[in-house]
Amino acid sequence: MHRSDGEPYPLTEAQAGLWYAQRLDPDNPAFNTAHALWIEGDLDVAAFARAADRAAAEAEALALRMDDSEAVPRQWVDDACRPAIERVDLSTRDDPDAVAREIMRGDRLTPIDPTRERLARQCLLMLGPKRFVWYLRVHHFATDGYGMALFGERVAELYASTEGGAPLAPLAQVLDEDAAYRQSERRGRDAAYWRETMAEAPPPTGLEAGPETAADDCRRLIRPIDTTLREGLLALAESLGQPWPDVLTALTAEYCRRHADAAETVIGVPCMGRLGSASARVPASSSAAVVTVAIAASSCAATSAGSVPGGACTGRWSTCSRFTGRCAWRGCEPAWRSSAPARSTT
Amino acid sequence: MTTDNASLTLERLRDDVARMLGESPEMIGDDENLLNYGLDSMRMLNLASQWSGEGIELQFADLAVSPTLIDWWQLVQRQRHRNGG
């Protein structure tokens, strides 16, 4: 895929942020986004492979190639880079589950040079006659978590029925939309808004003293919360008229503020850039931003929950100015702070 | 699959959306972009799961492409048509 004039595309705004972040730290594999789907039961392996390959043929972003030999980095879709599914038989190994986890971990933690290597890979790891893992790893240049989910749903749809549904939407829609925004007057207004809002932003910190740097990997711990806390959270959300994830975000921010013993804390809230955009149907690296919200010490947890619009800054960032008004109306005074290229995969 | 979603009307959609956004229903026009009222992905998910509980299965990606009441209403009607309702 090239532009209508046959030239490669420039990077989108979202990609450009990631590009320079990766260039600053080329050995950091943090931009490898990966999904593993554990499948138990009868699987028609040939049919699954056909579905996965067909979805990969539709998802143009997974076959992007990048080049930075010119003044600015450029990209185009190269059919040779499409991630055809690799079948890996681990069923005769001693502990197939452990081997599979080790393969996936090793792949995910291997940094990619986007100018030389493929951005995407998918494998079907066969652990036994009724046990499989479908592993998909894509560099964040090519897609984000939402795009991964779209891709997964498409594979499932094609596996269920070869007639199945509409193909994934073309990448050009996303690239053209991004190009139009970059040339628009609105982009200048948005940039001015955020520069002004961020003028006095403090440097990033963590819970521990010292400057915060990006990690190579992240950890996730899933634990159920007890009934009392759950009910309390839902009741508080109801009384504030806010979705519970927003309230939980506010409470987490207050927790961080207390630990940092700071007058205020600024937290990053992923903001989905796909709403109201053709990109809602395209696996790609979207214009998601991390919008940061400042929470002051003077507000008790409940009030700050009321003032946190959560991912409320939607679409392009300029809609935030409307939100400032909304929050004032709610009797709070949240300070909106910056937005930076997202490291999240929202 | 439940197909009993006949009770959902355009006005019910408007009421649900308005409640989620803290607006009065009459403020929200059929073709207005709901993002301008503070709709975000979390609130959209909440709405989708609320309607799903009533047997109306709307895909998040479809809701996200064009967040207006009139386009969401068309999604509801299309689903109703597919279910033979």
Side-chain angles (χ1 to χ4, degrees), chain A residues 242 276 281 311 314 322-323 326, chain B residues 21 36 39-40 43 62 64:
Chain A
Q242 299 284 333
R281 291 202 183 98
T314 48
R322 181 180 169 91
F323 251 89
R326 285 175 60 85
Chain B
L21 301 176
N36 292 339
L39 181 74
D40 59 56
R43 284 168 176 80
D62 293 336

Side-chain angles (χ1 to χ4, degrees), chain B residues 8-27:
Chain B
L8 190 70
T9 60
L10 177 57
E11 291 321 303
R12 254 279 321 277
L13 273 186
R14 194 189 317 275
D15 288 349
D16 291 349
V17 168
R19 197 173 315 114
M20 184 66 73
L21 301 176
E23 294 280 353
S24 341
E26 61 273 16
M27 291 294 292

Side-chain angles (χ1 to χ4, degrees), chain A residues 146 150 153 241-246 272 274-278 280-281 309 311-312 314-315 319 322-323 326 329-330, chain B residues 19-23 33 35-44 46 59-67 75 78:
Chain A
Y146 180 87
L150 277 184
E153 283 168 15
Q242 299 284 333
W244 67 263
D246 289 10
M272 187 176 181
R274 279 186 160 91
L275 298 186
S277 147
R281 291 202 183 98
T314 48
T319 50
R322 181 180 169 91
F323 251 89
R326 285 175 60 85
W329 171 76
R330 283 190 175 127
Chain B
R19 197 173 315 114
M20 184 66 73
L21 301 176
E23 294 280 353
N33 186 341
L35 303 183
N36 292 339
Y37 289 91
L39 181 74
D40 59 56
S41 57
M42 278 297 175
R43 284 168 176 80
M44 201 180 287
N46 273 20
Q59 296 295 316
F60 183 84
D62 293 336
L63 293 171
V65 164
S66 181
L75 293 174
R78 223 175 298 152

Side-chain angles (χ1 to χ4, degrees), chain A residues 97 107 189 199 234:
Chain A
D97 278 26
D107 181 75
R189 283 203 309 271
L234 293 177

Side-chain angles (χ1 to χ4, degrees), chain A residues 265-322:
Chain A
T265 188
V266 180
I267 56 162
V269 178
C271 164
M272 187 176 181
R274 279 186 160 91
L275 298 186
S277 147
S279 64
R281 291 202 183 98
V282 187
S285 194
S286 85
S287 53
V290 174
V291 171
T292 56
V293 184
I295 293 183
S298 57
S299 30
C300 69
T303 340
S304 36
S307 76
V308 172
C313 166
T314 48
R316 300 293 186 177
W317 304 329
S318 63
T319 50
C320 289
S321 50
R322 181 180 169 91

